[in-house]
């Protein structure tokens, strides 16, 4: 009987896939297809959850089949991320318009990412204090057994890591190994390696123009092919969103969410406040935040469902360039650096909130200005190299708590609600990198105002 129900769920899922394909054939906009997939995924997931429950065999086996589409799509995105990061950074150096402002652009992108992360940390601190979350640590002992093997391994890797060691871990070791994503800091290592190649290219172009021109043509050709691959993969986005959202709503532990509801609500309050900060920053440079929201919503929707900043990178760069008017070079820099530097949600809000929550258990006054200032500084420094995939927030939290000499047990307590909170955090991370791209473009004069101000701009996908 269970097998029949699984088959029925698979048929229903395939019918929804067919509906999305029909919408594509009718040339409905990319945004409409993504939002339709989001709604259909929620309905499908709730149906499975309410009828069969979270832990039933029907649910587990149905989701396994859905995962062929959902996890398969994420795998394709991860496949393209490292080549895209590498070629995007190198190609940025080969574009004359960008290289003339290279130092300024790099400084602005990194400065905005780190600055907004510091603001995010402050918001996380205020939110924790405002919601009086310190008491949640009292339940940590009940959750010790819930820590999975991966968390234990991460604790072992991070617990004794000093800040200088964290900085050293950012540097590339074996570029071929880094391109496989072997380390949590591989993304930033690839960025650094690509930047070194770009700087070398500038020297060659100056001394041996013919070789520089030849290299630039090769890079431009590879970039064109990689971006074509990106387009092909992004066309699968609605189907991936459908499968991922169905999985989230069908398998979420709603009892744990209720139990830790205060922390979940506080987290989303902080996320929303930080998102408002992004809008205020856009206002400061004279850009309409409503226009920004309308154009980036499909990107944030995918980031929300996938929980992967890295997986969202192709859509992030395309949206910055095609819909927001950010130059290719700046979009590449902002999107690529945003994967590992200054993630407002995962590396800013989350570690700061946890540090405030556990501070009293370590005999530290969370209202101490010195403690708060030190915490914000360490959060900003530790935000370098945070992996842009699901689970990066756990890594960031362990780094900050260890650096502040605070207990890390609370990380295990919150594993049960991690997926729900991580969805909002990832969307905020992506918004932070896109905001950095728009602000940098505006400050350097490389923002196409006509494209940004255009009311409706559909991505060419």
């Amino acid at each position: 009987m269970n097998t029949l129900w699984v088959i029925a769920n698979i048929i229903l899922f395939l019918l929804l896939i067919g509906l999305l394909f029909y919408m594509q054939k009718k040339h409905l906009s990319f945004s409409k297809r993504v939002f339709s997939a989001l709604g259909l995924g929620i309905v499908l997931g709730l149906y499975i959850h309410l009828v069969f429950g979270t832990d039933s065999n029907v649910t587990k086996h149905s989701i396994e089949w859905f995962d062929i589409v959902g996890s398969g799509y994420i795998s394709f995105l991860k496949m393209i991320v490292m080549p895209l990061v590498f070629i995007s950074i190198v190609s940025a150096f080969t574009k004359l318009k960008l290289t003339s402002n290279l130092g300024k652009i790099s400084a602005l992108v990194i400065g905005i990412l780190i600055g907004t992360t510091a603001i995010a940390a402050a918001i996380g601190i205020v939110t924790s204090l405002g919601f009086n979350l310190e008491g949640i640590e009292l339940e940590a002992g009940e959750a010790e057994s819930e820590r999975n093997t991966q968390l234990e391994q991460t604790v072992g890797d991070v617990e004794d890591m000093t800040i200088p060691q964290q900085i050293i871990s950012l540097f590339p070791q074996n570029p071929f190994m880094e391109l496989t994503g072997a380390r949590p800091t591989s993304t930033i290592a690839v960025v650094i390696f690509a930047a070194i190649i770009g700087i070398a290219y500038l020297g060659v172009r100056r001394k041996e123009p013919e070789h520089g021109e030849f290299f630039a043509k090769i890079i431009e050709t590879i970039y064109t092919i990689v971006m074509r691959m990106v387009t092909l993969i992004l066309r699968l986005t609605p189907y991936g969103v459908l499968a991922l959202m169905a999985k989230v709503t069908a398998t979420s532990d709603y009892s744990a969410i209720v139990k830790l509801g205060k922390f979940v609500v506080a987290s989303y309050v902080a996320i929303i406040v930080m998102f408002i900060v992004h809008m205020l920053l856009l206002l400061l440079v004279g850009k309409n935040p409503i226009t920004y929201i309308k154009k980036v919503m499909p990107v944030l929707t995918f980031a929300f469902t996938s929980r992967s900043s890295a997986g969202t990178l192709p859509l992030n760069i395309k949206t910055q360039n095609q819909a927001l008017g950010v130059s290719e070079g700046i979009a590449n820099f902002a999107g690529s650096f945003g994967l590992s530097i200054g993630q407002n949600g995962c590396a800013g809000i989350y570690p700061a909130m946890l540090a405030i929550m556990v501070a009293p258990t370590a005999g530290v006054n969370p209202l101490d200005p010195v403690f708060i200032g030190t915490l914000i500084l360490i959060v900003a420094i530790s935000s370098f190299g945070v992996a842009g995939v699901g689970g990066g927030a756990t890594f960031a939290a362990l780094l900050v708590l260890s650096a502040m000499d605070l207990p890390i047990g609370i990380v295990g307590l919150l594993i049960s609600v991690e997926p729900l909170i991580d969805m909002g955090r990832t969307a905020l991370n992506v918004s932070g990198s896109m905001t950095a791209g728009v602000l940098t473009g505006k400050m350097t004069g490389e923002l196409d105002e006509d494209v940004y101000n255009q009311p409706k701009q559909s991505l060419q996908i």
Side-chain angles (χ1 to χ4, degrees):
M1 187 64 179
N2 285 349
T3 302
L4 292 177
W5 278 115
V6 172
I7 293 173
N9 290 338
I10 293 172
I11 292 174
L12 178 58
F13 178 71
L14 292 175
L15 289 173
L16 296 178
I17 291 285
L19 176 60
L20 292 173
F21 183 73
Y22 175 77
M23 294 171 66
Q24 180 178 336
K25 286 297 183 181
K26 288 295 182 180
H27 303 292
L28 267 70
S29 70
F30 181 75
S31 300
K32 290 179 180 178
R33 286 183 279 133
V34 169
F35 285 120
S36 297
L38 178 68
L40 292 172
I42 291 174
V43 172
L44 177 60
L46 287 177
Y47 148 71
I48 292 175
H49 179 84
L50 294 174
V51 174
F52 305 106
T54 303
D55 299 321
S56 71
N57 288 329
V58 173
T59 298
K60 291 178 180 178
H61 293 315
S62 297
I63 295 301
E64 282 180 355
W65 285 97
F66 296 176
D67 251 358
I68 294 176
V69 176
S71 295
Y73 177 60
I74 294 296
S75 296
F76 278 130
L77 287 171
K78 289 180 179 179
M79 172 193 74
I80 200 66
V81 164
M82 285 304 188
L84 178 59
V85 169
F86 176 77
I87 201 66
S88 294
I89 296 299
V90 176
S91 69
F93 281 84
T94 62
K95 299 180 187 301
L96 291 175
K97 185 177 181 181
L98 175 67
T99 54
S100 61
N101 290 323
L102 186 60
K104 183 178 181 181
I105 288 169
S106 301
L108 281 172
V109 169
I110 295 175
I112 292 169
L113 289 171
I114 297 300
T116 52
T117 299
I119 295 172
I123 290 173
I125 291 170
V126 172
T127 305
S128 285
L129 294 172
F131 277 80
N132 193 27
L133 292 179
E134 297 92 327
I136 201 170
E137 172 65 9
L138 298 176
E139 302 177 28
E142 302 174 8
E144 290 297 317
S145 60
E146 296 181 18
R147 288 199 221 169
N148 55 27
T149 304
Q150 183 179 1
L151 176 60
E152 294 286 2
Q153 292 172 345
T154 305
V155 170
D157 293 339
V158 171
E159 194 168 13
D160 298 323
M161 188 181 292
T162 64
I163 290 180
Q165 289 173 333
Q166 295 174 32
I167 295 173
I168 291 172
S169 71
L170 303 179
F171 296 112
Q173 299 176 6
N174 181 333
F176 299 102
M177 179 189 74
E178 306 296 5
L179 285 168
T180 68
R183 301 187 299 145
T185 55
S186 284
T187 304
I188 190 65
V190 169
V191 170
I192 294 172
F193 177 62
I196 292 173
I197 290 179
I199 293 171
Y201 157 77
L202 295 179
V204 171
R205 188 186 65 177
R206 185 175 62 256
K207 296 181 179 180
E208 302 178 74
E210 67 281 4
H211 292 312
E213 183 180 350
F214 180 68
F215 179 79
K217 288 180 179 178
I218 293 175
I219 293 299
E220 184 62 29
T221 301
I222 296 174
Y223 181 78
T224 302
I225 293 173
V226 169
M227 291 309 295
R228 180 57 183 170
M229 291 172 61
V230 166
T231 300
L232 293 174
I233 294 171
L234 287 182
R235 287 177 180 172
L236 303 174
T237 298
Y239 312 109
V241 169
L242 170 67
L244 292 167
M245 204 66 223
K247 179 179 180 179
V248 168
T249 51
T251 60
S252 291
D253 186 350
Y254 293 101
S255 61
I257 292 171
V258 172
K259 182 179 179 182
L260 297 173
K262 189 177 181 181
F263 176 72
V264 174
V265 171
S267 297
Y268 271 92
V269 167
I271 289 169
I272 292 170
V273 171
M274 189 59 207
F275 188 74
I276 292 172
V277 170
H278 291 169
M279 302 303 100
L280 293 175
L281 291 173
L282 292 172
L283 274 176
L284 283 176
V285 297
K287 306 318 299 173
N288 188 337
I290 304 300
T291 302
Y292 170 85
I293 293 172
K294 288 179 179 178
K295 293 185 175 184
V296 305
M297 194 54 67
V299 188
L300 301 186
T301 299
F302 177 70
F304 186 85
T305 55
S306 68
R307 297 172 51 212
S308 173
S309 300
T312 312
L313 178 63
L315 195 55
N316 180 337
I317 292 176
K318 267 189 171 289
T319 300
Q320 284 192 59
N321 181 236
Q322 292 183 11
L324 296 176
V326 180
S327 67
E328 277 190 350
I330 293 177
N332 292 337
F333 264 81
S336 299
F337 277 123
L339 291 185
S340 298
I341 298 176
Q343 294 195 346
N344 294 177
C346 291
I349 289 174
Y350 187 63
M353 289 183 71
L354 297 196
I356 292 296
M357 288 162 62
V358 302
T361 67
V364 177
N365 178 10
L367 294 174
D368 182 0
V370 175
F371 171 77
I372 291 176
T374 304
L375 176 59
I376 292 175
L377 179 62
I378 287 180
V379 166
I381 294 173
S382 298
S383 70
F384 281 81
V386 174
V389 296
T394 299
F395 182 76
L398 291 172
L399 284 174
V400 171
L401 294 177
S402 298
M404 296 292 291
D405 199 23
L406 295 172
I408 61 176
I410 192 170
V411 178
L413 166 66
L414 299 172
I415 282 178
S416 57
V417 294
E418 263 293 286
L420 177 63
I421 301 171
D422 201 39
M423 296 166 80
R425 289 192 309 241
T426 304
L428 183 65
N429 295 341
V430 173
S431 177
S433 73
M434 299 180 80
T435 301
V438 174
L439 294 176
T440 301
K442 178 66 176 178
M443 293 178 197
T444 58
E446 293 196 34
L447 181 72
D448 190 326
E449 304 281 352
D450 292 335
V451 172
Y452 185 97
N453 295 327
Q454 191 172 343
K456 293 182 180 180
Q457 180 70 36
S458 298
L459 295 180
Q460 298 174 12
I461 296 176

